[in-house]
């Protein structure tokens, strides 16, 4: 299996409840390595640009408002099959549908305040990692 990198975001509901360490432990316990990480406050323009693919969706405005409602932690996870592995650890978008033992099942508050973002393909991972990090900030 290939070593991949994926972009992860700990969302404002996670930072607000001081859950960043508990969530990071899930990644590390699954064999993913946090090779870059920074805490930041997204601007409205940044959040809109990051979620541009969802611009026409009915939840776009609420999603952007939520993502700027408090600090986020953006991070690069590295490991075997990292993109799919992270999606598996995260669980389904709606915590009501998430499998037992997943981050969203255990921590998410709602379909919107669902604690984590993870890139959904290798191609999007490369784009999303580059959105937040210079190559020199990623130390594998
Ligand atoms: P993510 O992009 O955050 O990793 O989550 P995802 O792939 O599981 O979900 P996606 O369909 O890409 O949606 C992005 C984020 O938008 C919010 N959302 N709200 N109110 C709603 O019906 C709704 N649907 C999605 C969630 O925060 C979701 O993670
Ligand atoms: Mg998505």
């Amino acid at each position: 299996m290939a070593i991949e990198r994926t972009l992860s975001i700990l969302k404002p509901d996670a930072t607000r409840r001081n859950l960043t360490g508990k969530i990071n432990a899930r990644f590390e316990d699954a064999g993913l390595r946090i090779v870059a990480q920074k805490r930041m406050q997204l601007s409205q323009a940044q959040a809109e640009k990051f979620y541009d693919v969802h611009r026409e969706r009915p939840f776009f405005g609420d999603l952007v408002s939520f993502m700027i409602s408090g600090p986020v932690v953006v991070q690069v996870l590295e490991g075997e099959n990292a993109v799919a592995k992270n999606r598996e650890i995260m669980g389904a978008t709606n915590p009501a549908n998430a499998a037992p033992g997943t981050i969203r099942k255990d921590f998410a508050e709602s379909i919107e305040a669902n604690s984590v973002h993870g890139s959904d393909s290798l191609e999007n991972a490369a784009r999303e990692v580059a959105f937040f990090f210079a190559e020199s900030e990623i130390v594998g």
Side-chain angles (χ1 to χ4, degrees):
M1 249 184 278
I3 301 294
E4 297 175 351
R5 285 176 177 174
T6 191
L7 184 86
S8 168
I9 305 179
L10 310 185
K11 295 185 178 183
D13 68 286
T15 59
R16 179 168 45 76
R17 289 175 291 153
N18 215 17
L19 291 171
T20 64
K22 285 200 173 81
I23 295 175
N24 279 349
R26 300 293 181 100
F27 301 139
E28 294 183 339
D29 288 348
L32 295 173
R33 193 173 293 275
I34 302 163
V35 294
Q37 177 166 258
K38 59 189 168 193
R39 183 176 172 105
M40 57 192 295
Q41 171 66 51
L42 294 178
S43 68
Q44 173 145 345
Q46 271 177 315
E48 286 179 353
K49 194 171 172 205
F50 182 76
Y51 280 117
D52 193 56
V53 56
H54 293 315
R55 199 171 281 273
E56 304 308 326
R57 308 276 285 275
F59 58 79
F60 179 73
D62 286 345
L63 174 60
V64 168
S65 299
F66 166 62
M67 290 299 289
I68 65 174
S69 67
V72 296
V73 175
V74 296
Q75 47 192 196
V76 181
L77 307 180
E78 184 180 84
E80 274 185 10
N81 212 16
V83 174
K85 183 179 279 183
N86 184 38
R87 297 286 292 185
E88 202 179 301
I89 299 165
M90 288 163 56
T93 308
N94 186 345
N97 303 327
T102 60
I103 292 169
R104 283 167 166 168
K105 183 67 175 187
D106 293 344
F107 299 119
E109 294 182 316
S110 66
I111 189 171
E112 176 178 87
N114 59 3
S115 304
V116 283
H117 164 86
S119 308
D120 59 10
S121 68
L122 201 50
E123 188 186 353
N124 282 336
R127 190 177 55 77
E128 293 179 357
V129 166
F131 186 89
F132 286 112
F133 293 97
E135 195 57 38
S136 61
E137 295 177 300
I138 306 169
V139 185

